[in-house]
Amino acid sequence: MTVTNAAIIIIGDEVLAGNTIDTNSNFIAKELHNIGIKVAEIFTISDDTDCIKQALNDAFKITNLVITTGGLGPTKDDKTKKAIAHFFDDNLITDPETLAHLEQILINRNRAHLFDINRPQAKIPSKAKVIQNHNGTAPCLMMEENEKIAFVLPGVPYEVKPLIKDQIIPLLAERFSLSHLVVKIISVVDFPESLLAQTIEDWESHLPENIKLAYLPIGNRVKLKLTAIGNNKTDLEAQLNHIIEPLKPLIQDKVISWDNEDIASILKFILTKRGLSISTAESCTGGGISRLITSISGSSAYFQGGITAYAVNQKINILKVPKQLINQHTVVSEQVAEAMAIGCQELFKTDISISTTGVAGPQTDQYQNEIGSVYYSVRVKNKSYNYHLHLPHLDREDFMNFVSQRVLQSVVEVLVFNPNES
Amino acid sequence: MTVTNAAIIIIGDEVLAGNTIDTNSNFIAKELHNIGIKVAEIFTISDDTDCIKQALNDAFKITNLVITTGGLGPTKDDKTKKAIAHFFDDNLITDPETLAHLEQILINRNRAHLFDINRPQAKIPSKAKVIQNHNGTAPCLMMEENEKIAFVLPGVPYEVKPLIKDQIIPLLAERFSLSHLVVKIISVVDFPESLLAQTIEDWESHLPENIKLAYLPIGNRVKLKLTAIGNNKTDLEAQLNHIIEPLKPLIQDKVISWDNEDIASILKFILTKRGLSISTAESCTGGGISRLITSISGSSAYFQGGITAYAVNQKINILKVPKQLINQHTVVSEQVAEAMAIGCQELFKTDISISTTGVAGPQTDQYQNEIGSVYYSVRVKNKSYNYHLHLPHLDREDFMNFVSQRVLQSVVEVLVFNPNES
């Protein structure tokens, strides 16, 4: 039996009703991709036995590996287990080991009085192999028959992640001696996707069979994702390094990173390499930039801290923005952005500081500045780089996220394209 | 023709490969839900004409309204349009109006030189009705025949949102004179879901036909979502208010809000009502709490600002945490959390302040504190409320998000359950 692709079934009325954003499928897809298994389809369906049966049928038509999440809670009717038992022509029994494990979890949580309510969770198909779920009461099940494998998982993301990463992925990788996979991500800025595609068309058409290229646009950055599949990791890395050589003369003056996924990791790489520290002074991004920088483990080595100076007073009191500057230009202005960055650099004593001031909307500010307008400043040593964006098409949440991403990208651009200045 | 449910087809290899988290289906599902249309299934499939054809067939078997996103980019092969034309027995033609609109967009963006590359985007099925996409170059299409309606949208979220909200939803609501829908969300804290379900079982079993109840757990909070469907909005609101009366004696000492979705909105409601101001001093949450508070429009009325005091020095210099306290208890301690909140309250001059200090992982800190351990403090006027959580099962990202949510929930709990103190 070989496994090359998979299907994911997300079971949850709360996802279909828009109450919950499904992040499980993304996590599972990424992890499967890392061991060379492609996800052919994701089915998001209702907590309903017939729907689950139908989805299992459809999914096993296109693949022999199916992973389901959700539909196993104590207050639910365990429709998932019924459907899976039906599909594999099996029946549900109470598993003593799972029952004992369940009782132990509830005792550890001082919830022993809930044992009777949770008891049905120990019912499993008789042919199922149980994979212990250390973070919740619902067991994870593996069913296998006639060259078909199903993994049945709970829906809570923090239960799903370790089950997938620590147990299911290693099991699959060993069992099917899967290929190795090496990924390289090149970040190109200020190069429209269609023009970039045209520029590298010839290079792309000569890529070897085992290397796939994907364009992943994010803001005005395009991530070129190269995925190489093969048997030897070192060979694949060498192959990728070799393959990008002819690409360099075509795009290198627009490349901010040759090998990192997200902007906060690229920032970490460059700040660590150059021994530079950074701090933030945010207004319209509300702490989003600080949050983005600290999403990276080890950021304490270069991130001193940040301030969200949301009220005008705080810009004056803490960041020492001259009151007169605000009166003259309003708080959403290039001048105030620059003064905020300078004040921030002083406060935190860092090599680099960044600032944002703008109107996230949906209401305008007291000065009637335009919604979606943002000024930001990147201060590197004693030099300021000032920017303005107008993003009226983004709602509040997207605006705050987009600007946070873009500001960090500008920091990286300043450092990469002005290597001598810092 | 009547429309009661819908299917969503997400077309995108980047979603299946785990490169992109699909948020479109959540947005569309929520908006459809608001006009009483239930999403029966979400199909997430590959950018492949056969897959799209198959999904269209499957989707139209369960519903007569299908919405697709993705697969319309200029560098793609326009597989979606081919598949949709095939399904509706149609062929693609170049639409002069769409072509003119496309040219205008590119001129407005100073990208006129890309006109030839983008030209295929003006090809549409001959029977399609075009819905103008004001934020991108791919047109949005509506196809209708034999009591089947499809909307074909691009994949970029900021293009999808206004198309759905401003154009497609009003069109559907008017055309099918859909029911009204009123939602009420009750937030219950510190009440395990299974026990809560048992407590209100009798009440739940007597809910009228037109009211649905969903349990939405988030941390140690359970949101009870009541959705009422009918013809008159005012009547539905009255009905919901009436229906929750017998619920009050059962759960009211565990309820922090009777009518708000997310914790930041609940916080806004209570701070605004009591005229209180707030500020934040964060370490392990990295700005996440500040970001969460400011996700709400109008938060500037009560949020003065926040500081991410990431480095130990900054806790001492800016928040005035006594150095000796850190030496004695380490930086991850109840004492330091409390001192941070006090320093924050002084700095920003607010009624309330909150602080966090902990180890998000995956590495431990310089004091070898436990990963997943966090102390936080809520300061209300001259009183401190201190908390400790141990969350070793959460990865860095989930830890930061969970703690941010929980801290705001604690602020609300303090204010709701101690109404006389502030």
Side-chain angles (χ1 to χ4, degrees), chain B residues 24-147:
Chain B
N24 286 330
S25 62
N26 178 263
F27 183 84
I28 297 170
K30 241 187 239 170
E31 291 291 326
L32 289 175
H33 185 262
N34 284 343
I35 54 167
I37 297 176
K38 209 175 146 173
V39 173
E41 184 161 351
I42 302 165
F43 302 77
T44 307
I45 58 165
S46 179
D47 287 328
D48 172 273
T49 310
D50 287 334
C51 290
I52 303 171
K53 284 181 191 169
Q54 179 71 44
L56 284 169
N57 275 321
D58 292 346
F60 276 117
K61 266 182 213 151
I62 56 173
T63 175
N64 51 6
L65 171 63
V66 172
I67 298 178
T68 75
T69 72
L72 298 176
T75 58
K76 304 249 168 76
D77 213 348
D78 273 330
K79 289 156 184 162
T80 305
K81 286 191 284 195
K82 275 180 203 150
I84 205 92
H86 178 267
F87 183 85
F88 284 95
D89 198 16
D90 197 2
N91 59 308
L92 298 181
I93 54 154
T94 296
D95 177 49
E97 209 174 307
T98 304
L99 195 69
H101 177 73
L102 182 64
E103 191 172 14
Q104 198 51 54
I105 287 183
L106 293 171
I107 289 170
N108 291 348
R109 292 183 182 175
N110 295 317
R111 294 272 162 89
H113 58 290
L114 300 179
F115 186 53
D116 280 339
I117 300 173
N118 283 273
R119 186 184 287 267
Q121 294 202 292
K123 278 201 154 187
I124 61 169
S126 74
K127 300 175 192 167
K129 189 177 162 257
V130 174
I131 297 174
Q132 286 305 354
N133 172 5
H134 300 295
N135 298 307
T137 53
C140 169
L141 307 173
M142 176 179 174
M143 294 289 282
E144 182 172 6
E145 209 168 70
N146 302 327
E147 309 239 312

Side-chain angles (χ1 to χ4, degrees), chain A residues 346-362:
Chain A
E346 296 269 316
L347 181 68
F348 288 99
K349 312 257 179 292
T350 52
D351 301 306
I352 303 170
S353 65
I354 45 192
S355 69
T356 58
T357 176
V359 188

Side-chain angles (χ1 to χ4, degrees), chain A residues 158-169:
Chain A
Y158 73 75
E159 298 178 27
V160 169
K161 285 181 183 177
L163 284 167
I164 290 287
K165 207 179 170 94
D166 304 335
Q167 304 199 68
I168 295 170
I169 291 290

Side-chain angles (χ1 to χ4, degrees), chain B residues 16 18 41 43 137 145 185 203 242 244 272 307-308 324 337 352 364 415:
Chain B
L16 292 174
E41 184 161 351
F43 302 77
T137 53
E145 209 168 70
I185 293 174
W203 171 82
H242 179 72
I244 63 168
T272 309
I307 179 147
T308 308
Q324 176 217 346
I352 303 170
T364 181
L415 296 175

Side-chain angles (χ1 to χ4, degrees), chain A residues 19 225 286 290 304 306 308 314, chain B residues 19 225 286 290 304 306 308 314:
Chain A
N19 293 324
K225 181 173 182 176
S290 164
Q304 279 291 311
T308 307
Q314 309 299 348
Chain B
N19 293 323
K225 182 174 181 174
S290 163
Q304 279 291 311
T308 308
Q314 309 299 349

Side-chain angles (χ1 to χ4, degrees), chain A residues 318-360:
Chain A
I318 305 178
L319 291 173
K320 313 294 178 204
V321 175
K323 207 170 179 170
Q324 177 216 345
L325 212 60
I326 296 174
N327 291 337
Q328 205 177 336
H329 302 284
T330 87
V331 77
V332 178
S333 61
E334 182 175 325
Q335 292 81 358
V336 169
E338 186 173 332
M340 285 171 68
I342 292 172
C344 178
Q345 198 182 31
E346 296 269 316
L347 181 68
F348 288 99
K349 312 257 179 292
T350 52
D351 301 306
I352 303 170
S353 65
I354 45 192
S355 69
T356 58
T357 176
V359 188

